[in-house]
Amino acid sequence: MDIVPLDFAAEPGRLAEYHTLMADVFAPGPRMPAPLFRLVAERGWRATPAETWLAVDDGRVIGGVTLHLPDDANAHVALVRFLSVDAAYRRRGVGSALLAHATGRARSEGRVMILIEIAEGGPGAAFARAKGMREVASQARRVLDLAAFAAPEREVPGYRLEFLRGRSPEALTGDMITLMEVMNDAPLDDLAINDESWTPASVRQMEEAWDLACQDVFTVVARAGDGSPAAFTRLFAGLGEAGGWARQTDTAVLRAHRGRGLGRWVKEANTAWLKRTRPDLTRVITWNAVSNRHMIAINEALGYRLLDVWHVWELRV
Ligand SMILES: CC(C)(COP(=O)(O)OP(=O)(O)OC[C@H]1O[C@@H](n2cnc3c(N)ncnc32)[C@H](O)[C@@H]1OP(=O)(O)O)[C@@H](O)C(=O)NCCC(=O)NCCS
């Protein structure tokens, strides 16, 4: 067996084999469609330096690992995005070899730790424990059945909603930066990572990536009476993706505007908009820190139900 780098542009066949290998990792949640998988593996939403290494045996891809090596506020970390071994080749040391390779790469890039998300209770968790990793954060996935969802009539006095599909107009970039940086307030548990900041260039880069990953993106912004941004939320839906899944990602309310029902209002309004606009969709999946009780209370009120729990594991390198 060899461990070799994946050249995304020149090796579409190997990329497809790697994607197939990852098919079950997110079950019972949605499988990542090919364009989204490629985007995440090759560079992520923020064009993060990234590399993928494949375990190849007799010309076949039998395992793989992707590393993101941020060059910004989190240059001390290597993020393992995917690590998987073909079920027919497990318990033969392939996972160990891939992890050792990733650890070596992280170390030579000056990283002090690897972080990796793993489903609770599966082989990944046993593997992480065997490798001396430490659980540093817990996240739950919840699913909303869109057929059962109906948004109640709601207004929050003093605020209005703005609906944006796809990339935001350039005039709104400053507002988007203000809103997205509020995501730094989400609980981190024991995760030793730093706040993310945004610039007009990184916002543009991220929004361009939506097209690369064939994502139809729905954003709702709440504005205060003076026009300033107060809250936002975002839903992603693949174009041509099987399974009827959408993904709920960021939701944030600026500190000065919390406690007035804005978080729930923007989410309900966006979900209702998505349901009207994309009748092909049947369900929405979301991730939250288990400790994020306010966000989870809103999600439960909307009708989201628990699917499973994942932990972030840290390995000092
Ligand atoms: C986790 C995974 C990558 C491990 O790959 P692997 O090639 O089977 O791992 P290794 O053979 O190198 O296992 C190393 C050690 O981890 C532990 N381990 C691995 N799988 C285990 C399992 N299913 N049950 C208990 N212990 C396990 C054992 O201690 C094992 O050593 P041993 O076989 O000598 O007892 C593989 O099971 C997989 O692809 N799972 C699905 C994807 C996933 O969960 N990825 C998360 C990343 S960790």
Side-chain angles (χ1 to χ4, degrees), residues 21-22 24-26 62-65 80-87 89-99 116-119 121-131 133 310 313:
L21 202 84
M22 293 297 303
D24 296 333
V25 170
F26 299 105
I62 59 164
V65 62
V80 173
R81 285 301 185 210
F82 308 112
L83 169 59
S84 186
V85 173
D86 185 329
Y89 291 83
R90 290 188 189 160
R91 301 303 290 269
R92 299 188 196 174
V94 180
S96 298
L98 284 166
L99 182 68
I116 176 167
E117 287 173 348
I118 303 175
F127 176 78
R129 221 167 273 121
K131 296 296 169 189
M133 299 187 201
W310 288 56
W313 295 76

Side-chain angles (χ1 to χ4, degrees), residues 127-165:
F127 176 78
R129 221 167 273 121
K131 296 296 169 189
M133 299 187 201
R134 180 174 81 96
E135 254 180 48
V136 288
S138 299
Q139 295 168 4
R141 295 196 300 177
R142 284 181 169 73
V143 175
L144 174 69
D145 173 8
L146 278 174
F149 172 80
E153 282 301 313
R154 191 186 302 278
E155 288 281 318
V156 176
Y159 295 88
R160 65 184 166 80
L161 298 183
E162 184 172 67
F163 294 79
L164 302 165
R165 190 169 180 185

Side-chain angles (χ1 to χ4, degrees), residues 18-281:
Y18 182 38
H19 182 222
T20 303
L21 202 84
M22 293 297 303
D24 296 333
V25 170
F26 299 105
R31 186 180 175 197
M32 264 196 195
L36 180 58
F37 179 74
R38 176 171 181 168
L39 189 273
V40 174
E42 195 170 14
R43 47 159 279 182
W45 296 113
R46 298 194 56 166
T48 304
E51 45 192 64
T52 290
W53 298 89
L54 301 178
V56 177
D57 188 43
D58 214 6
R60 269 195 69 202
V61 175
I62 59 164
V65 62
T66 292
L67 277 176
H68 280 196
L69 299 160
D71 53 2
D72 50 20
N74 286 304
H76 61 298
V77 173
L79 301 161
V80 173
R81 285 301 185 210
F82 308 112
L83 169 59
S84 186
V85 173
D86 185 329
Y89 291 83
R90 290 188 189 160
R91 301 303 290 269
R92 299 188 196 174
V94 180
S96 298
L98 284 166
L99 182 68
H101 189 80
T103 307
R105 288 289 309 128
R107 206 177 291 126
S108 60
E109 292 291 325
R111 313 291 151 147
V112 299
M113 66 174 85
I114 275 181
L115 293 173
I116 176 167
E117 287 173 348
I118 303 175
E120 188 173 77
F127 176 78
R129 221 167 273 121
K131 296 296 169 189
M133 299 187 201
R134 180 174 81 96
E135 254 180 48
V136 288
S138 299
Q139 295 168 4
R141 295 196 300 177
R142 284 181 169 73
V143 175
L144 174 69
D145 173 8
L146 278 174
F149 172 80
E153 282 301 313
R154 191 186 302 278
E155 288 281 318
V156 176
Y159 295 88
R160 65 184 166 80
L161 298 183
E162 184 172 67
F163 294 79
L164 302 165
R165 190 169 180 185
R167 293 193 207 173
S168 45
E170 219 164 306
L172 297 192
T173 305
D175 289 350
M176 294 322 301
I177 291 174
T178 302
L179 290 164
M180 287 192 295
E181 290 187 349
V182 182
M183 287 306 293
N184 289 319
D185 288 357
L188 286 177
D189 301 339
D190 252 357
L191 268 173
I193 56 170
N194 299 315
D195 285 356
E196 287 203 61
S197 54
W198 291 88
T199 62
S202 60
V203 171
R204 208 165 30 249
Q205 238 167 13
M206 175 195 64
E207 295 193 354
E208 282 167 8
W210 298 345
D211 290 343
L212 293 175
C214 300
Q215 294 297 304
D216 190 9
V217 181
F218 295 77
T219 305
V220 169
V221 174
R223 292 190 179 276
D226 63 0
S228 62
F232 90 121
T233 191
R234 200 162 257 164
L235 285 158
F236 284 65
L239 294 165
E241 177 180 342
W245 289 96
R247 295 172 176 79
Q248 166 73 57
T249 61
D250 297 355
T251 300
V253 181
L254 267 72
R255 257 168 225 268
H257 301 279
R258 289 184 190 160
R260 297 174 197 182
L262 286 178
R264 183 163 175 182
W265 190 33
V266 290
K267 272 197 149 172
E268 283 172 352
N270 205 15
T271 308
W273 183 34
L274 179 86
K275 182 173 167 170
R276 270 198 317 276
T277 318
R278 291 282 307 265
D280 58 310
L281 302 173

